[in-house]
Amino acid sequence: MRIIRWLDAHFEEVILTFFLYIMVAVMGYQVVMRYLFNNSVVWSEELTRYLFVWSAFVSIGYCIKKRSSIKIDQIVHLMPKVVQKVILLLTKVVSLFFFVYLLRYSFNVVQATIKSGQLSPALQMPMVFVHLASIVGFAMAIVRILESFVFTAAKNVEE
């Protein structure tokens, strides 16, 4: 149970930190090779780009969990508490349907990529691994939104 709680609290952070360290190491290696040895590494920028794509999709769930998305909430804070709760609930419901919609169509993109058998230019890696980031990111966003529904409901029961 402790492991599940720890993963719930830190899963995205660990993945994002790992990706960041890999990106820094790979780009540092590229800089050293280019400027000290006058020899450019072909695959480094491609790997960094794909890790950045994965980071962007993984961060969706992280931002939902931390409630740190871009928003303008000055007007909402001026409204009564009941209206604030209704707007928050409506926002979560719309977000949930939006991410379910995106998840549905990201499966289509991944299936098309599998059928095409496309490989990345430098790494010769199947592009399906890059496109899987959308499925993982949208699924994690859905889980975090559903989790926020549960926590909000539990909080309202306690009040």
Side-chain angles (χ1 to χ4, degrees):
M1 191 65 159
R2 282 178 40 171
I3 293 173
I4 293 173
R5 275 195 213 124
W6 188 88
L7 281 174
D8 180 52
H10 302 290
F11 182 70
E12 292 96 342
E13 293 170 7
V14 169
I15 291 173
L16 291 170
T17 303
F18 177 72
F19 286 165
L20 182 62
Y21 283 144
I22 298 290
M23 286 189 283
V24 168
V26 168
M27 289 313 290
Y29 175 70
Q30 169 69 348
V31 167
V32 167
M33 291 300 292
R34 181 178 292 163
Y35 292 109
L36 291 182
F37 299 107
N38 203 21
N39 185 10
S40 185
V41 181
V42 186
W43 54 267
S44 64
E45 291 177 28
E46 187 175 290
L47 177 62
T48 304
R49 184 179 320 118
Y50 296 153
L51 288 172
F52 186 77
V53 168
W54 267 90
S55 296
F57 280 106
V58 170
S59 68
I60 297 170
Y62 180 74
C63 289
I64 290 170
K65 179 179 78 171
K66 295 293 185 178
R67 294 174 49 183
S68 64
S69 60
I70 298 174
K71 57 188 170 198
I72 301 172
D73 57 357
Q74 292 299 339
I75 296 172
V76 175
H77 285 299
L78 296 174
M79 298 179 179
K81 291 287 185 189
V82 174
V83 176
Q84 289 180 19
K85 287 184 180 184
V86 169
I87 290 173
L88 180 64
L89 178 66
L90 183 63
T91 304
K92 287 180 184 181
V93 169
V94 168
S95 297
L96 179 64
F97 283 115
F98 177 69
F99 285 119
V100 167
Y101 177 80
L102 290 176
L103 180 64
R104 178 175 168 244
Y105 285 100
S106 63
F107 277 108
N108 295 344
V109 171
V110 169
Q111 286 176 341
T113 307
I114 290 171
K115 286 180 185 175
S116 74
Q118 183 182 4
L119 299 175
S120 66
L123 292 170
Q124 291 297 303
M125 173 183 76
M127 287 301 292
V128 69
F129 292 122
V130 178
H131 292 274
L132 279 172
S134 62
I135 291 177
V136 171
F138 297 143
M140 289 171 66
I142 291 167
V143 167
R144 292 302 184 183
I145 291 171
L146 292 174
E147 199 175 58
S148 74
F149 279 127
V150 171
F151 289 140
T152 303
K155 183 179 175 185
N156 289 337
V157 168
E158 290 175 3
E159 291 176 359

